[in-house]
Amino acid sequence: MAEKKYIVTITRQFGSLGRPIAREMSEILGIEYYDRDIVEATSKKMNLPVSKISEHEETYSTSLFPMLLPLGSDSIAKQDEIYNVQKEVIREMAEKESCIIVGRCADYVLKERENVVNLFVRASMSYRLQRAIVNYQVDEKKAADIIMKNDKRRRNYYNYHVGEKWADLNNYDLVIRSDMCGIDNAVKCIITYIGE
């Protein structure tokens, strides 16, 4: 394999296999993938419990009402602070070695770097529904609610911090339909694309 350093960022719809794709790529390429590690590193830097970071990260309230309240504005300020610390963490991880970074606007955070490949992983709603039904042991209506809420949360967070549309596929180098190709073929395609 080539000795060049590269970063792969993965933005993903909820239930579209973004994390399993990152995990398998990590194993095949022998490089780290970062997801929850970003939360843990942010927790240490901010001296806050992981649960507090998880509560605020990748969320953003677009409602005006919470912003009018002291608690609401504190919550928004905390979200912004977490985002800024996560940016530092992501840049530090990218500086060290080749790696894969899942979510957290990493494509935008690393936009000035030349050695970054930005992916968007998506899948049909029916595929994601079936996964949510099995994974969460819920009915179809509840599964749809889980998917819609999580996609909305990611979209609002991304749109707020990046200033561009989360699902605008023009913002990504490669778009993967995981329901059509599965994890193995998605990983092969990505590895071919990055030239490894």
Side-chain angles (χ1 to χ4, degrees), residues 25-53:
M25 279 179 61
S26 169
E27 288 171 13
I28 290 171
L29 294 172
I31 63 175
E32 291 295 325
Y33 89 93
Y34 298 110
D35 186 1
R36 296 301 299 168
D37 317 70
I38 298 169
V39 177
E40 290 162 16
T42 303
S43 164
K44 284 180 188 165
K45 276 184 180 269
M46 296 182 74
N47 198 24
L48 287 172
V50 168
S51 60
K52 193 72 173 166
I53 304 298

Side-chain angles (χ1 to χ4, degrees), residues 110-122:
L110 301 174
K111 69 179 181 177
E112 302 302 322
R113 298 182 70 104
E114 292 183 12
N115 59 340
V116 178
V117 174
N118 300 311
L119 308 178
F120 189 87
V121 181
R122 60 185 294 259

Side-chain angles (χ1 to χ4, degrees), residues 104-141:
R104 296 162 186 90
C105 303
D107 59 315
Y108 178 74
V109 171
L110 301 174
K111 69 179 181 177
E112 302 302 322
R113 298 182 70 104
E114 292 183 12
N115 59 340
V116 178
V117 174
N118 300 311
L119 308 178
F120 189 87
V121 181
R122 60 185 294 259
S124 68
M125 179 55 93
S126 60
Y127 180 81
R128 297 192 293 145
L129 270 174
Q130 288 309 308
R131 290 198 70 234
I133 288 167
V134 171
N135 289 345
Y136 297 101
Q137 298 291 300
V138 294
D139 62 27
E140 187 171 325
K141 185 173 186 238

Side-chain angles (χ1 to χ4, degrees), residues 45-64:
K45 276 184 180 269
M46 296 182 74
N47 198 24
L48 287 172
V50 168
S51 60
K52 193 72 173 166
I53 304 298
S54 295
E55 179 186 325
H56 288 290
E57 70 140 7
E58 283 199 314
T59 61
Y60 180 72
S61 172
T62 56
S63 168
L64 192 56

Side-chain angles (χ1 to χ4, degrees), residues 13-25:
Q13 290 179 321
F14 187 81
S16 66
L17 300 173
R19 187 175 293 135
I21 287 169
R23 188 181 307 118
E24 186 163 320
M25 279 179 61

